[in-house]
Amino acid sequence: MSEPLLLEVRDVSVTFDGFRAINGLNLSLRPGEMRAIVGPNGAGKTTMMDIITGKTRPDTGIVRFRGQDLTRLDEPTIARLGIGRKFQKPTVFEALTVRENILLSLKGIRSPFAVLLARLSGQERDRVDELLEIIRLTRFADHQAGDMSHGQKQWLEIGMLLGQEPELLLVDEPVAGMTDAETMATAELLREINRTRSVVVVEHDMDFVRALGVKVTVLHEGSVLAEGALDEVSAEPRVIEVYLGR
Ligand code: ADP
Ligand code: MG
């Protein structure tokens, strides 16, 4: 018997004011898999994430997570089922410290007041330390989040996402605006995260996608143009045509 899928997008379409942004889209993710999604601007990558997370409802088609249909559920319900999303722009609490940001994100945290008064259980403290380590910000734990670099803020937000303990992470263009070193560190970070969680990452940066070393799905005009190893898909004439323009 074949393994059940973690995420299944089947024949999904969505139209905005007569424009078909997603057009018969199909995508399958196995449990534990990390997938990179590439494609030119306007291909529908962000809209695809909007549909998975319940922000946008598809006109037709189905989205299943662990076999459960998501298309009638709202965003908070889908998040509670175990799908976490990171948007392109970091949205950390700038006036709080890095540690406080992580604390506030913890799943099941009793109250924000407990966080700010530092009345935490040992377990909560341990989880925060672990997350700070994963996102490489242990040294900056007591610095104000607003003082972090753009790249560090992105990592902090990934840490805050992990604090929610999602089974599947959706990450939209995490390395935009990062230095080359930060970009490579982010690839390493996502690979680490992928040891215990599934990941769908949208990214333009091909050095980054190469460093991830995972299966790539190329989107174009709202549907899948190609799928496979990066070297395979980037050698396909129709992919080259879309990327080099006509
Ligand atoms: P990508 O993330 O691949 O660059 P998007 O998913 O953001 O592409 O957009 C796909 C297409 O859908 C674009 O042409 C965009 O203008 C359009 N689009 C996305 N969201 C909306 C919306 N809420 N209303 C109208 N058009 C939209
Ligand atoms: Mg986008």
Side-chain angles (χ1 to χ4, degrees), residues 16 19 21 40-47:
F16 299 117
F19 173 75
N41 271 326
K45 304 181 297 295
T46 298
T47 305

Side-chain angles (χ1 to χ4, degrees), residues 143-162:
H143 290 224
Q144 247 191 320
D147 292 339
M148 295 294 101
S149 73
H150 169 75
Q152 289 168 326
K153 283 181 193 170
Q154 296 283 30
W155 297 339
L156 177 53
E157 209 185 344
I158 291 172
M160 292 165 71
L161 193 55
L162 290 174

Side-chain angles (χ1 to χ4, degrees), residues 222-246:
S223 40
V224 174
L225 183 69
E227 205 164 68
L230 179 60
D231 288 333
E232 277 165 36
V233 298
S234 52
E236 288 197 30
R238 56 197 168 151
V239 173
I240 295 169
E241 192 183 354
V242 159
Y243 268 94
L244 298 181
R246 277 143 286 190

Side-chain angles (χ1 to χ4, degrees), residues 51-115:
I51 291 169
I52 295 168
T53 55
K55 189 172 178 212
T56 296
R57 263 177 219 295
D59 299 330
T60 57
I62 199 160
V63 179
R64 287 197 192 88
F65 180 63
R66 289 200 238 103
Q68 179 175 0
D69 182 10
L70 301 182
T71 49
R72 274 166 203 82
L73 306 180
D74 62 12
E75 285 183 270
T77 306
I78 292 172
R80 273 196 300 275
L81 287 174
I83 301 181
R85 179 186 195 171
K86 189 196 162 322
F87 288 91
Q88 225 165 304
K89 209 174 152 283
T91 49
V92 301
F93 300 106
E94 305 250 334
L96 299 181
T97 67
V98 167
R99 184 191 304 280
E100 287 163 343
N101 270 274
I102 293 289
L103 275 171
L104 282 169
S105 77
L106 288 193
K107 183 176 184 171
I109 191 87
R110 291 146 306 163
S111 90
F113 297 107
V115 169

